Amino acid sequence: RRGWGSPCRSVYGGFVKWEMGVKEDGTDSKAHQVAKADHWPDLHALILVVSDEKKKVSSSGGMKISVETSELLAHRAKAVVPPRVKDMETAIQKKDFESFAKITMQESNSFHATCLDTYPPIFYLNDTSKAVINTVHELNSKAGEAVAAYTFDAGPNAVVYTLTKHLPHVARSLALAFPPAKAGDWEGHITDASLRKEVLKKGAMEGEDR
């Protein structure tokens, strides 16, 4: 790692773990591949663009303030993150979506709790972000299992993970919960043509209005 840490995770493809390391100069803070990109082809990521506005607090700036003021951040780094990382590696290796989904959402929530614990507090999520969270939990509750999992970085936009068998239903549900600004603009709302076709086909099968 040199400078900003996140890019080190992009050196490899697939699933990558970033080791924190212990050296002050960061030379042992490295990334390594947990699983190759083709390890879990059944896993999909939906990107929900909630806002394209510039953040009031940058990722690096926010982290600096959190390190200086949040007691929760120190607790997370010591007691919460290490066991969750191990559990996540196991979930990925076993392709265990139920565990993967739970850890993903818990980690996202915990990160943003740290942002709130920062002084002054940092608000990356907006009302639509929170509505996405509620929608995903409602989907999972109705299904009786995890069919989707959200995660938010330092910003309001969501990444929602799901499996191939749930993809049309999850995408359709999210599209209906957060409709396009222009009624009927599915092409602009779901940019992937093949997914859009599956979503609309599923809507027709369920007797829903397009």
Side-chain angles (χ1 to χ4, degrees):
R1 170 194 171 187
R2 291 291 183 271
W4 188 32
S6 295
C8 74
R9 296 175 299 186
S10 302
V11 174
Y12 305 100
F15 300 86
V16 180
K17 175 184 176 182
W18 174 20
E19 298 280 4
M20 180 174 66
V22 296
K23 296 182 179 179
E24 288 292 332
D25 62 4
T27 54
D28 63 342
S29 181
K30 299 179 179 180
H32 72 265
Q33 190 179 63
V34 173
K36 294 182 178 180
D38 61 357
H39 167 71
W40 201 352
D42 198 31
L43 184 67
H44 300 272
L46 299 171
I47 312 300
L48 278 62
V49 181
V50 171
S51 173
D52 58 3
E53 293 182 2
K54 184 177 179 179
K55 294 183 290 189
K56 293 181 179 180
V57 180
S58 68
S59 301
S60 55
M63 180 56 69
K64 183 176 184 296
I65 300 171
S66 293
V67 168
E68 294 171 349
T69 66
S70 174
E71 293 180 359
L72 179 56
L73 177 63
H75 172 71
R76 263 180 50 78
K78 182 179 180 180
V80 179
V81 174
R84 279 188 180 166
V85 169
K86 291 182 180 179
D87 290 343
M88 178 59 85
E89 286 189 71
T90 300
I92 290 170
Q93 294 292 353
K94 293 183 176 181
K95 302 176 186 177
D96 176 2
F97 187 74
E98 190 75 30
S99 297
F100 173 90
K102 182 179 180 180
I103 297 168
T104 296
M105 292 186 283
Q106 286 179 324
E107 266 302 290
S108 178
N109 296 340
S110 184
F111 164 68
H112 286 280
T114 299
C115 295
L116 293 177
D117 187 56
T118 299
Y119 189 81
I122 302 171
F123 301 97
Y124 285 122
L125 304 182
N126 59 25
D127 287 343
T128 304
S129 308
K130 296 170 186 175
V132 170
I133 292 172
N134 288 332
T135 299
V136 169
H137 281 295
E138 287 173 3
L139 280 171
N140 292 340
S141 179
K142 288 179 180 178
E145 63 175 330
V147 298
Y150 58 79
T151 184
F152 295 82
D153 202 343
N157 300 323
V159 175
V160 175
Y161 292 103
T162 189
L163 299 176
T164 300
K165 62 183 178 180
H166 301 307
L167 181 57
H169 171 62
V170 170
R172 175 77 180 176
S173 297
L174 290 170
L176 290 174
F178 307 98
K182 183 180 178 181
D185 183 21
W186 289 105
E187 185 171 348
H189 204 50
I190 304 176
T191 57
D192 184 277
S194 60
L195 177 59
R196 183 169 62 249
K197 182 178 179 181
E198 284 298 312
V199 166
L200 295 178
K201 181 172 70 175
K202 184 170 183 62
M205 288 190 299
E206 293 177 350
E208 296 171 355
D209 269 341
R210 287 187 282 177

